[in-house]
Amino acid sequence: MAIDRALLVPALKNIATRLRIDSIRSTSEAGSGHPTSCCSMADIMAALFFAEMRFDPKDPHNPDSDRFVLSKGHAAPILYAAWAEAGAFDRSELLKLRRIDSDLEGHPTPRLPFVDVSTGSLGQGICAAIGTALNARRIKSEYRTYALLGDGESAEGSVWEAANAGSMDALDNLCGITDVNALGQSRATMWQHDMDQFARRWTAFGWHTIVVDGHEINAILDALEQARNTKGRPTMILARTIKGKGVSFVEGKDGWHGKAFKKGEEMDRAIAELEKQLVPVRENSPAANLAAQIPKPPAAARAVATPKTVAPPAYKLGELVATREAYGAALVRLGEADARVVALDADVKNSTFSDKFEKAFPDRFYENFIAEQVMVGAAMGLAARGAIPFPSTFACFLTRAADFIRMAAISNVNIKLAGSHAGVSIGEDGPSQMALEDLAMCRAEPNYAVLYPCDGVSTERLMALMAYHPGPAYMRTSRPKTPVIYSNDETFTIGGLKVLRESASDVATVIGAGVTVFEALKAYDQLKATGTAIRVIDLYSVAPVDRDGLVKAGRATGGRMITVEDHYATGGVGDAVAEAVAGAGLTVRRLAVREIPRSGKPEELLERFGISAKHIVEEVGELVG
Amino acid sequence: MAIDRALLVPALKNIATRLRIDSIRSTSEAGSGHPTSCCSMADIMAALFFAEMRFDPKDPHNPDSDRFVLSKGHAAPILYAAWAEAGAFDRSELLKLRRIDSDLEGHPTPRLPFVDVSTGSLGQGICAAIGTALNARRIKSEYRTYALLGDGESAEGSVWEAANAGSMDALDNLCGITDVNALGQSRATMWQHDMDQFARRWTAFGWHTIVVDGHEINAILDALEQARNTKGRPTMILARTIKGKGVSFVEGKDGWHGKAFKKGEEMDRAIAELEKQLVPVRENSPAANLAAQIPKPPAAARAVATPKTVAPPAYKLGELVATREAYGAALVRLGEADARVVALDADVKNSTFSDKFEKAFPDRFYENFIAEQVMVGAAMGLAARGAIPFPSTFACFLTRAADFIRMAAISNVNIKLAGSHAGVSIGEDGPSQMALEDLAMCRAEPNYAVLYPCDGVSTERLMALMAYHPGPAYMRTSRPKTPVIYSNDETFTIGGLKVLRESASDVATVIGAGVTVFEALKAYDQLKATGTAIRVIDLYSVAPVDRDGLVKAGRATGGRMITVEDHYATGGVGDAVAEAVAGAGLTVRRLAVREIPRSGKPEELLERFGISAKHIVEEVGELVG
């Protein structure tokens, strides 16, 4: 910075003090929040926002703007205070903190334009920061990413997944800062102020590591400069701080986590103490108005590639192809059509077939090794900065990132999850490798589109729709090869279904998805041979679901509806259909996996766990009586 | 060991070779599996099982038996081969690997008596091993725990949560072994054979670390001895190995992960190579039959404390108490009644009220800091060895351990999860802290009992039931204080419900749980004032659910049923009731949270997101018409 440190430092100290005051005032007004967690990091925030980062407070989404991720999301009040201080909005808004009519929520969400991803579930922000840092490389931007973590947060395994990813990808455009205030929510943290515990871990994980006094502005500025100049690896600044810093009667005291100062005497006393710490800055000093001098991101002329039409699938009817394989093929077509499409995997690319994409676009493929949390977290960061990321792994291992999937819903971020190897139809590997609750996991979140194609054509067509569906989406694919049943020009919609067999004399509607579509078709053939007609539906869109289409079929078949799914009985196809048709007074019988399965051949398992053609035929028989 | 190394080592080498042959033969017979992942660790297995561990092959559950956890569960064939070699069962069984009629599944499950917890989702076994190691301390046993990890697995964050837990708890009765064979499923691992990458991480995390050649029996034996003699911290043995070791045409070759040798020429060639590696051991050598010489665990006389009756709750009707608070009180009463009850928390003990238990029983409380995966994983290990563990955190953060919760269902292990701060009723902290999919997560798993009490008495009564319910269970508690509505001697059952209001003229049944029970009661009062009677049900047991009770109420109220829940619309109370009553032709209208919520006051949020008394009254009005 051009401003002399002798002038700069007292001005930043004043900003830090103001941020502390704002954090205390807003939480006291709200009656809840984490002011002491804000106070410990105020000097870091002042240095970072007003002497280091390049950004435009009025245009936080500028693609070349430095990113700041508050991984310790409970310190939201000071994040808001910093943006207000920078001029993003009026300081008076801060007093609406945590109110139902304000976007200044208890923990940050992207309802605010300067927040990329929701934080507040610890250990996630640093993973998203991996994604925003990767994105800078993707769009060839010089912007840097800063992520501020808590020390308690450092116990989360996801932090160490991010640590590995950062060093493996040599992300020298990423700088982490850990606010080591030594106090967690309920007690002293694991390592308290033993800075070496932190330093040796981050160093071992391949990061450049700097230990500073987090209340020494000069030391913080030096560390940030050192981080900026460190090449080939990310930097972690470990800042030794005091929780509640600046307010003598709470400094370093246990029992103050997540407690607002009581309005009145308690708050007034805290603020009075802080106000005394303000030092005079001459009005004509170059440091008098640091907010006005925040360097804007460089104006980069950036050609935006217009997405092309996604090439159609090219299968033959009856051709045997696993939907997971079609997923890989579709991903390549998408990659060809749109430069924003990127893929991530967790060391199963040769099973999910994302390796096809890697071969075609090695620069847009990110290998996360066996670390599903940082894979999904990085995808969230990439999506927040304009990429269209497809993270893939076995569907059962997406449960490893369930909390990220939850937070992605809250962020309404544009990630496209892909889970392969759904259900008992994977066979011999056994239950640990079978996803039987993935539909439940994704359907539970309000914002997710959940797709479950049964053949190559529908997989490819749905992939193209999914890529441009705003918000999070999940596609479930299967291990076994299944015949192509749709012609290449068949069209699909998110929220649609396909009636595969119908006649005026259908006695029941059987609704399958994925592999069970073929069991339903087999049951159709068997029943037809005995003179019984059933309607067969491919429910390829499990969320949203085609309510009208289902009700129509149900009504046309005497209200007799059967769902059959390679998923547990709860939260999947059965529940989706049942809720959809309940309003029409219709009920549903469900065939689903109802106990913990085991190893065996796929067809043996479909049989044993009650979701084969034979069971459908029996169920129709019972229903028709 | 008493046997001279000069005799012991060749005998162990032979065992390792036999284990390789068995692993190849069984996977070839099955037509799938991971023989090359077994070959890399065969020497370690031979040394561990036949020259280090103390156990009784015929009584693997002996409480003083050393524990072995195969964290890299895909190497199941060599685990089975080792137990067969030790005499646990006949070697011929190995050829039934992965068959539907055999318990020798693709990945290990506790269907086998020598498996404590299911593995196969990587990074979980080492967490369970933390639990079995803690358990040794709990029961004052000298047994040791060994956990064998893969190198690819080491990318999982949960491994580093376990690493922290192990050193923090100074678990010198725990020894990890990482099989560094440098090849993952889809490519070379992150660090390949750079042993220092592993060593510096484990050392930084506070473990005694030893690097060995994983094919040098002498070095392995030395390392195991060193581990046994290392006090005050756990040991990690980092074994440099070759994937496919022993079979020249696959050794260290990519592309062989998860591939069985083809029966016939390919398998025969591999086995012939291995057979040539067998060396003659004299029949009368002390090393001729190592299996027969496995040291049995010491016979420890152990007094088993008989559980006492759990003390009843002691509330006054109408007293205001949050169910999370009652949870803490109940946990203390359980602890007093039964020495097997232990509690774990993730730095929120003062919010979940598990701190009450810690105060009463500091030796039976485990603080996991903010690391939910190892918390649940350790609970699984503790449960597998006879403890009754209650891991608690905010319900939303249990999603962080969703994959562990899934695997706990597969293990059918006796853990008692407790999630506090359910739903929008937490208020100002905002959506990141609100659990709105936790019921869906636990209900999806076939083996879970899911309980959701609304007052202090039901919480305490259900806690006592939950503790002795076999298998996994989950209790959801709430943040707000609610009035006690049950008398202290009221009885409850898992799978039961309570009809709180009923009359012959009820026009509809309203089913709530937790905080919405009180919204339903308010709605009852409001409707009563207008001359409309409704039936009100407290569905405290969400899984299993009282089908008959629900159907009876539905039928008695003209088939008009409304569920209301502080949970998303999918997978919770609404779905549970809908599925239960569908067979009787009844349908359900659901009031639930249907979009991403935000910060605000609890009552504002119940109102805004459609689950308040007002919405119930309106819904009854619409339904009755």
Side-chain angles (χ1 to χ4, degrees), chain A residues 83-138:
Chain A
W83 281 92
E85 173 82 24
F89 58 88
D90 196 86
R91 180 169 242 121
S92 65
E93 288 291 312
L94 296 175
L95 293 180
K96 297 185 186 160
L97 180 73
R98 294 177 160 238
R99 271 170 41 179
I100 198 165
D101 58 353
S102 168
D103 287 341
L104 300 175
E105 297 197 68
H107 293 76
T109 75
R111 287 195 172 108
L112 296 164
F114 51 82
V115 174
D116 281 336
V117 295
S118 296
T119 53
S121 181
L122 294 171
Q124 296 208 18
I126 181 68
C127 294
I130 295 289
T132 61
L134 287 171
N135 186 71
R137 211 173 264 177
R138 180 184 75 86

Side-chain angles (χ1 to χ4, degrees), chain A residues 48 78 181 294 320 455 481 602:
Chain A
L48 197 49
I78 198 166
N181 67 27
I294 294 168
L320 287 173
D455 83 338
K481 287 182 187 293

Side-chain angles (χ1 to χ4, degrees), chain B residues 111-144:
Chain B
R111 285 194 175 110
L112 295 164
F114 50 81
V115 174
D116 280 337
V117 295
S118 295
T119 53
S121 181
L122 294 171
Q124 295 208 18
I126 180 67
C127 295
I130 295 288
T132 61
L134 287 171
N135 185 71
R137 212 173 264 178
R138 179 183 76 85
I139 65 166
K140 299 188 176 53
S141 174
E142 294 297 310
Y143 78 75
R144 293 178 56 75

Side-chain angles (χ1 to χ4, degrees), chain A residues 19-38:
Chain A
L19 298 182
R20 288 188 174 100
I21 293 171
D22 284 341
S23 301
I24 288 171
R25 215 185 280 280
S26 60
T27 48
S28 290
E29 184 66 30
S32 64
H34 302 76
T36 58
S37 304
C38 296

Side-chain angles (χ1 to χ4, degrees), chain A residues 171-188:
Chain A
L171 294 176
D172 50 20
N173 60 358
L174 172 63
C175 176
I177 304 150
T178 306
D179 173 20
V180 185
N181 67 27
L183 291 171
Q185 169 177 321
S186 66
R187 52 163 286 177

Side-chain angles (χ1 to χ4, degrees), chain A residues 416-533:
Chain A
K416 314 299 171 186
L417 297 164
S420 67
H421 292 70
V424 300
S425 57
I426 70 157
E428 292 83 352
D429 270 340
S432 67
Q433 318 293 301
M434 296 169 175
L436 289 156
E437 55 286 280
D438 55 319
L439 295 176
M441 173 174 69
C442 293
R443 276 190 67 242
E445 304 299 332
N447 281 340
Y448 276 75
V450 179
L451 306 172
Y452 184 13
C454 71
D455 83 338
V457 170
S458 52
T459 303
E460 292 210 26
R461 290 287 182 187
L462 289 168
M463 280 285 286
L465 295 174
M466 181 177 171
Y468 297 107
H469 175 77
Y474 169 55
M475 177 174 286
R476 180 185 222 220
T477 63
S478 304
R479 183 172 178 275
K481 287 182 187 293
T482 47
V484 170
I485 59 169
Y486 296 112
S487 63
N488 288 312
D489 56 359
E490 185 84 32
T491 57
F492 298 80
T493 53
I494 291 180
L497 56 74
K498 292 285 175 191
V499 180
L500 299 179
R501 299 286 184 275
E502 76 181 308
S503 78
S505 54
D506 294 340
V507 297
T509 299
V510 175
I511 300 140
V515 295
T516 60
V517 166
F518 301 95
E519 299 303 314
L521 291 174
K522 270 186 248 169
Y524 170 90
D525 290 339
Q526 291 171 25
L527 286 162
K528 195 181 171 193
T530 67
T532 303

